[in-house]
Amino acid sequence: MKHKIAEIVDATIQMYADLQEIAGLTSRVLAKFPHETVPQQLRAFLGSPRVAFARPSMTGDGKITLRLERGLSQMQAQIPDTWLMMHQSELTAAVREIYWGEQEHRARHELIRLGKVIEEHNREAQRHRRKASEARREYDRLAAGIRRRSARKRSAVERDSDG
């Protein structure tokens, strides 16, 4: 029985060491990116946190929940359980993939937002062109009326001075 307990304790210690190694590697990978661009799901790993607690998924979604401590603060994070079986290069690639996937997601949203802004600007510009065209026509109509009246007045004045 003591041998079984020792095996369980050793496995638990090794699991925490593996999780700490994952947290440390994740932190080192994320340190290469600007803090404000790190996806929310990975922010808990910033600043070399220490794994304080870990538990497997209760919902069967294949995620391990970690409680990470950094100084006096504690945060929770979830990692895929497949990370436990990855080599460092695979784990680094997985973290970078999450980062760049989030960046692409943000960029798509920004692109959609800018597209809508451009469309609205184009509609507004079209409205202004239409109003300017209407204003030009009205101006030309009024100017032509004034020129006609002025021409009639000149012609009437010339007739009166001739006659």
Side-chain angles (χ1 to χ4, degrees), residues 24-150:
L25 179 61
T26 303
S27 179
R28 289 190 303 278
V29 170
L30 294 175
K32 296 176 183 175
F33 299 108
H35 173 76
E36 58 276 354
T37 63
V38 172
Q40 193 63 38
Q41 71 193 60
L42 296 176
R43 289 216 173 165
F45 292 100
L46 292 171
S48 302
R50 188 177 65 78
V51 176
F53 177 77
R55 72 172 166 78
S57 171
M58 302 303 236
T59 60
D61 61 358
K63 298 213 182 236
I64 297 171
T65 300
L66 302 176
R67 186 177 319 133
L68 302 169
E69 292 179 343
R70 190 172 50 233
L72 297 175
S73 65
Q74 288 190 355
M75 296 139 297
Q76 276 199 330
Q78 289 187 332
I79 61 169
D81 59 5
T82 55
W83 283 15
L84 289 173
M85 294 160 278
M86 290 182 175
H87 296 290
Q88 280 191 346
S89 60
E90 294 172 317
L91 182 58
T92 299
V95 172
R96 286 183 178 147
E97 185 179 328
I98 290 171
Y99 177 85
W100 289 114
E102 180 67 22
Q103 291 305 312
E104 184 178 327
H105 181 71
R106 285 183 188 163
R108 275 196 189 116
H109 279 288
E110 183 65 8
L111 189 61
I112 290 169
R113 186 189 71 75
L114 289 173
K116 288 178 181 177
V117 167
I118 289 169
E119 286 175 15
E120 179 58 33
H121 175 75
N122 288 343
R123 277 194 296 276
E124 196 67 26
Q126 185 65 29
R127 258 192 307 277
H128 286 294
R129 280 193 293 275
R130 200 171 26 254
K131 284 183 177 183
S133 179
E134 291 169 2
R136 263 189 243 105
R137 280 194 299 274
E138 182 65 16
Y139 175 85
D140 291 346
R141 186 184 68 76
L142 291 172
I146 291 171
R147 282 193 299 271
R148 279 193 305 272
R149 281 191 288 283
S150 292

